[in-house]
């Protein structure tokens, strides 16, 4: 939210719509009309916040109100009394419904108008109706209103002020029309606007659960109560408005299309996919269209996630990105794409959304690189999944368990249908019930994580922090301290006493523990009462909540009560390592400014016990010579033994002295300045060494790009360098022994081997091409003629796919435009079960209706494989060479029937 208030959103309200009398139709026009409408009514237009929220309790921005959560809770000042946004959002709780229903998506835009203690129900309702009917031009006969069953006031406004017929105002229960932020906290009734696609059916048969007739397009939340731990409701001092209109849903309505996917926001992606495969999207069956929709939806989400700095991984939001990309690849295979394609469709998605999100173009190269790399990784993962399945089958089970099938699906992206097919070939079945149960557990976990905006997480800590005095931090000068227990928390509840085995959070009136901030991790150590046997708590992390330090740990022995006097002891070794790495980070920033560019600025950092990480603004990769120069300069400063000077001063004095502010930090009037005289001066609350010589040495481990214009350096310093060098020494020794050369000759030996491999590979490919050409030339006389066409089906073993491709294209050029060819074989005797298929069709054969990709797919399936391609050329693979001759016989039968 803080980031929102500091961004000046450049938008000329008068330019949002070209014609006031023109009914908005395109996605751009719908969005602009919404923002203009509320801007004209005193709302400040704010830009979309990132999909990566500042709120640590949620992974992604899942609703338009999420950036304003601190405002609703009263933790931050409101940016204005009235605000309007178009917020990009991602939800994955209903991912299995994406493409199967008209409205489910992972990425969507939520248009919202907000009031922070300003206007309330009457204005929100009147404006929603005016916007819907006057601006968007919806016929009032097509609108149905839902309200909370007990909200007579809202019904009265809709009925008496707006003029909606009573029979078109539907009362709903609490599950549908009462918004809650969690078990406790701000809440209130909702009123939703539904579009009725069939008003001629009358008002007697209104069932808002019927999503074939009704679609909710605008939700008004009247945040007027606070719910306590007993469930009691009390009125808030200031009532708020939180609304949301789905851009894609409104586009579906105004563009009069059957689903969100066929709007101008997504449909160009689907038609581009169809063009890649040489098909007409509108003629596809419903099942095939689902895959197109999934790919179109997921690539939009992935492009936006990567643009906001998310990279694929197996954890958190990185896992969500990885899962979306892999599902897109899997659905691509289902429609006949067997080669990397996401780079192409991702590029289309970027250009489709660039006018609304110009940063996509700025970060285009990074986005596409991440997509391409992850797609290639997944193709390798898919292969490992196949090996896992082979291993399962090799154990001769009675069936493939649901857990095994789910692991293949969830971990390796292995389609359930393919698992079933392979199981059937081996006279086995898949436990589908257990698979569905595992899938449902996953879905419920996802729903719990993705749909609930839990404003109560950390609520106990927040309330406690506001009710007690700040923690006095003694850790700059001492690692030991005696303090009084101010609060104890177990399972998000305040308690008076904790016992052995409890996982706790403890707040003291004074502490030597550094609380995580400024990129530096929190200290570790112990807390004990008098003796370790009396009470011992292992502290594994400490965070700062404003000026209160919250220690998280486990009670190892004894009991502890609020008010007890307790001893604190910081792990000295870990603290020392953190000090070394933090000072080294300051030196790194100074060296980058001196060697690379004086305008370099920090974009993030991590100071842990065993390493450091520094992110900085830079548009180009650093050369190895630059990195060496940076490293040498830092080690020079270390050897020169510069004594650090730390002072507290007024922030204006610090800035006048040239002190550099740390990324993401907030500062008060008085700040702490850490100065390495003549080298670095920064505002910093972290812990540091007294003299640069205490660092010992500094080593850069890696340099990489993590986002458009953002580079990252990872490094080690002090004792951690020994571990780093020992690992690399072991690698060098192993290579030296393997190649039987001295360590200083390893690089030369590797270069020589690489050149030898290149020469051998070229020679092998040339030899295979010669063999393939000789064999295929002999096939010319075996071409079978049918009417005006001719075809060849042949098996050629021992030839690579590349050589076979050259051979089939040469053969096709000799046979002419009325010919069709299918060649297959086992390319490598070391992989006797691996099969490759290649099909090439002349242009006249294609114009007669034959498609090489579709023709080849069922043939490859006989060998346990699949593939596809263009109408005139296709490739496929298989893993059952014993069935190859049978597959080729089937190909001949198909040619005989289709060409006749």
């Amino acid at each position: 939210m803080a980031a929102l208030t500091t961004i000046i959103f450049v938008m000329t309200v008068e330019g949002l719509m070209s014609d006031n009398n023109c009914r908005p139709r395109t996605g751009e026009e719908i969005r602009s009309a919404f923002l203009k409408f509320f801007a004209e009514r005193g709302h400040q237009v704010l830009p979309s916040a990132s999909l990566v929220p500042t709120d640590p309790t949620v992974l992604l921005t899942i609703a338009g109100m999420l950036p304003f959560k601190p405002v609703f809770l009263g933790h931050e000042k409101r940016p204005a009394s009235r605000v309007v946004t178009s917020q990009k959002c991602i939800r994955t709780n209903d991912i299995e419904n994406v493409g199967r229903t008209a409205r489910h998506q992972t990425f969507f835009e939520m248009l919202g108008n907000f009031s922070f203690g300003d206007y309330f129900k009457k204005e929100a309702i009147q404006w929603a109706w005016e916007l819907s009917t006057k601006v968007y031009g919806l016929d009032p006969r097509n609108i149905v209103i839902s309200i909370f069953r007990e909200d007579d006031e809202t019904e009265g406004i809709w009925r008496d002020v707006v003029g909606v017929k009573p029979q078109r105002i539907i009362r709903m229960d609490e599950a549908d029309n009462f918004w809650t932020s969690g078990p406790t906290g701000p809440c209130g009734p909702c009123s939703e606007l539904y579009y009725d696609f069939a008003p001629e059916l009358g008002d007697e048969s209104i069932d808002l659960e019927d999503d074939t007739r009704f679609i909710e397009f605008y939700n008004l939340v009247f945040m007027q109560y606070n719910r306590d731990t007993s469930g009691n409701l009390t009125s808030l001092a200031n009532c708020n408005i939180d609304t949301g209109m789905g851009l894609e849903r409104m586009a579906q309505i105004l563009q009069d299309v059957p689903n969100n996917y066929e709007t101008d926001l997504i449909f160009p992606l689907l038609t581009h996919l169809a063009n890649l495969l040489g098909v007409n999207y509108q003629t596809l069956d419903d099942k095939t269209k689902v895959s197109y929709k999934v790919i179109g939806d997921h690539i939009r989400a992935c492009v936006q996630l990567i643009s906001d700095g998310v990279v694929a991984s197996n954890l958190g939001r990185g896992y969500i990105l990885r899962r979306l990309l892999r599902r897109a690849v899997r659905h691509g295979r289902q429609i006949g794409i067997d080669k990397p394609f996401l780079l192409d469709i991702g590029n289309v998605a970027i250009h489709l959304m660039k006018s609304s999100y110009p940063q996509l173009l700025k970060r285009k190269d990074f986005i596409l690189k991440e997509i391409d790399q992850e797609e290639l990784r997944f193709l390798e993962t898919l292969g490992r999944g196949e090996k896992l399945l082979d291993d399962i089958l090799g154990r001769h089970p009675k069936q493939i368990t649901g857990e095994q099938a789910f692991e293949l699906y969830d971990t390796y992206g292995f389609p359930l249908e393919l698992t079933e097919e392979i199981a059937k070939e081996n006279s086995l079945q898949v436990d589908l019930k257990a698979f569905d149960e595992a899938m449902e557990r996953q879905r419920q976990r996802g729903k719990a994580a993705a749909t609930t905006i839990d404003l109560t997480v950390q609520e106990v800590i927040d309330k406690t922090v506001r009710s007690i005095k700040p923690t006095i931090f003694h850790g700059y000068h001492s690692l030991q301290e005696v303090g009084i227990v101010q609060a104890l928390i177990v399972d998000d509840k305040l308690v008076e006493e904790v016992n052995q085995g409890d996982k706790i959070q403890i707040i003291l009136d004074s502490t030597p523990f550094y609380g995580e901030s400024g990129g530096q991790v929190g200290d570790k150590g112990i807390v004990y009462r008098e003796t370790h046997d009396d009470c011992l708590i292992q502290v594994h992390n400490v965070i700062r909540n404003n000026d209160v330090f919250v220690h998280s740990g486990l009670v190892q022995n004894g009991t502890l009560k609020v008010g007890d006097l307790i001893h604190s002891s910081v792990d000295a070794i870990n603290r020392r390592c953190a000090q070394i790495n933090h000072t080294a980070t300051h030196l790194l920033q100074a060296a980058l400014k001196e060697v690379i560019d004086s305008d370099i600025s920090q974009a993030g950092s991590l100071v842990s016990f065993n390493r450091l990480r520094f992110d900085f603004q830079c548009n180009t990769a650093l050369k190895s010579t630059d990195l060496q120069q940076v490293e040498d300069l830092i080690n020079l400063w270390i050897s020169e033994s510069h004594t650090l000077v730390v002072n507290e001063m007024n922030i204006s004095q610090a800035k006048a002295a040239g002190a550099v502010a740390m990324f993401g930090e907030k500062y008060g009037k008085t700040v702490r300045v850490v100065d390495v005289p003549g080298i670095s001066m920064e505002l910093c609350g972290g812990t540091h060494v007294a003299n640069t010589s205490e660092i010992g040495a500094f080593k850069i481990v890696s340099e990489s790009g993590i986002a458009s214009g953002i580079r990252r350096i990872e490094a080690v310093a002090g004792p951690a360098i020994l571990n780093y060098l020992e690992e690399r020494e072991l690698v060098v020794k192993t290579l030296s022994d393997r190649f039987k050369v001295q360590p200083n000759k390893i690089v030369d030996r590797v270069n020589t081997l690489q050149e030898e491999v290149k020469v051998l590979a070229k020679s092998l490919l040339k030899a295979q091409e010669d063999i393939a050409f000789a064999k295929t030339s002999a096939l010319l006389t075996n071409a079978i003629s049918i009417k005006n066409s001719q075809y060849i089906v042949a098996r050629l073993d021992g030839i690579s796919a590349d050589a076979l491709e050259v051979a089939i294209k040469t053969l096709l050029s000799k046979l002419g435009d009325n010919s069709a060819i299918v060649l297959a074989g086992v390319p490598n005797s070391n992989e006797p079960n691996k099969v490759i298929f290649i099909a090439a069709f002349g242009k006249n054969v294609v114009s007669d209706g034959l498609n090489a990709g579709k023709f080849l797919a069922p043939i490859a399936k006989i060998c346990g494989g699949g593939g596809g391609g263009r109408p005139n050329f296709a490739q496929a693979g298989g893993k059952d060479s014993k069935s190859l001759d049978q597959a080729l016989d089937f190909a001949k039968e198909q040619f005989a029937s289709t060409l006749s």
Side-chain angles (χ1 to χ4, degrees), residues 852-886:
K854 292 182 178 180
F855 185 89
L856 198 57
I859 297 169
K861 188 175 181 180
I862 295 174
C863 291
R870 303 185 301 275
N872 65 324
F873 185 82
Q875 288 183 283
K879 53 185 179 181
D880 179 15
S881 59
K882 294 179 181 179
S883 302
L884 179 54
D885 290 335
Q886 177 188 344

Side-chain angles (χ1 to χ4, degrees), residues 534-766:
D534 185 33
C535 176
L536 174 63
I537 298 167
Q538 195 74 41
V539 176
H540 55 73
N541 189 35
V542 181
I543 61 170
R544 284 185 64 172
N545 190 315
N546 293 322
D547 290 324
V548 174
F549 289 59
V550 182
H551 309 66
S552 297
L554 176 69
V555 181
Q556 303 278 10
N557 296 314
T559 62
L560 185 67
K561 297 180 180 179
V562 173
D564 282 356
L565 189 69
I566 198 156
H567 300 262
S568 302
S569 178
V570 174
D571 186 311
I573 295 177
N574 280 332
R575 166 65 79 82
R576 185 67 171 170
C577 291
Q579 290 175 306
I580 287 171
N581 285 331
H582 207 149
T583 305
T585 302
H586 284 212
L587 297 182
L588 173 57
Q589 178 166 220
L592 287 168
K593 286 177 175 289
E594 184 164 329
V595 175
I596 308 301
D597 187 344
S598 60
D599 291 330
I600 277 178
S601 61
Q602 181 179 340
S605 68
L606 171 67
V607 176
S608 67
F609 305 126
N610 57 2
R611 65 189 177 98
L612 64 94
R613 186 180 74 213
F614 185 77
D615 300 339
F616 56 99
Q617 306 277 355
C618 186
N619 290 322
T620 58
L622 273 59
K623 300 176 182 177
S624 58
T625 52
D626 293 334
L627 292 172
Q628 189 61 56
Q629 193 174 350
V630 168
E631 188 177 290
D632 290 344
L633 181 57
I634 293 171
N635 281 310
L636 174 63
W637 288 336
I638 291 171
S639 66
E640 290 174 344
S641 301
H642 295 272
T643 298
L644 275 70
V645 179
V646 180
N647 289 308
E648 288 191 355
M649 62 181 72
N650 185 280
I651 190 167
S652 59
Q653 293 177 314
K655 289 182 177 179
V660 177
M662 297 293 283
F663 173 80
E665 286 294 289
K666 297 180 181 179
Y667 301 97
K669 292 182 179 179
T670 302
V671 294
R672 186 169 182 264
V673 179
V674 177
D675 184 16
V676 185
I679 297 173
S680 165
M681 181 186 290
E682 297 189 19
L683 307 182
C684 181
T687 63
H688 291 269
V689 297
N691 189 286
T692 59
S693 62
E694 297 174 36
I695 298 174
F698 176 89
K699 180 67 181 175
I700 294 175
V701 175
S702 67
E703 189 272 344
S704 61
I706 61 167
S708 179
I710 305 293
R711 309 296 299 178
R712 169 173 291 174
I713 285 179
E714 298 194 55
V716 290
I721 286 183
L722 292 178
N723 294 331
Y724 174 82
L725 295 177
E726 286 173 0
E727 291 175 1
R728 273 131 192 86
E729 184 181 9
L730 179 60
V731 172
V732 171
K733 186 177 185 306
T734 301
L735 291 175
S736 180
D737 292 342
R738 181 72 56 85
F739 293 142
K740 301 187 184 303
V741 295
Q742 293 298 316
N744 61 347
K745 298 293 183 181
I746 290 177
V747 174
D748 292 339
R749 179 60 176 149
V750 170
N751 289 337
T752 300
L753 288 173
Q754 286 180 324
E755 290 301 319
E756 291 176 0
V757 168
K758 289 180 182 178
V759 172
L760 289 173
K762 288 181 180 178
S763 299
L764 179 60
L765 180 60
K766 181 62 170 60

Side-chain angles (χ1 to χ4, degrees), residues 126-163:
Q126 287 180 302
W127 286 337
W129 185 259
E130 182 182 354
L131 175 68
S132 300
T133 59
K134 303 300 183 184
V135 177
Y136 292 137
L138 300 185
D139 190 327
R141 292 175 297 179
N142 289 97
I143 300 177
V144 176
I145 306 298
S146 74
I147 63 170
F148 178 48
R149 64 169 182 254
E150 299 174 10
D151 193 356
D152 296 335
E153 179 187 5
T154 296
E155 181 182 26
I157 296 172
W158 280 117
R159 183 189 63 235
D160 303 331
V161 179
V162 175

Side-chain angles (χ1 to χ4, degrees), residues 44 76 118 244 276 734:
Q44 181 177 342
E76 287 189 7
D118 189 348
L276 286 179
T734 301

Side-chain angles (χ1 to χ4, degrees), residues 469-475 481 486 508-512 547 549:
K469 63 182 181 180
T471 306
I472 301 173
F473 176 59
H474 296 277
E481 182 61 29
Q486 294 196 93
L508 308 173
D509 68 340
S510 62
T511 184
D547 290 324
F549 289 59

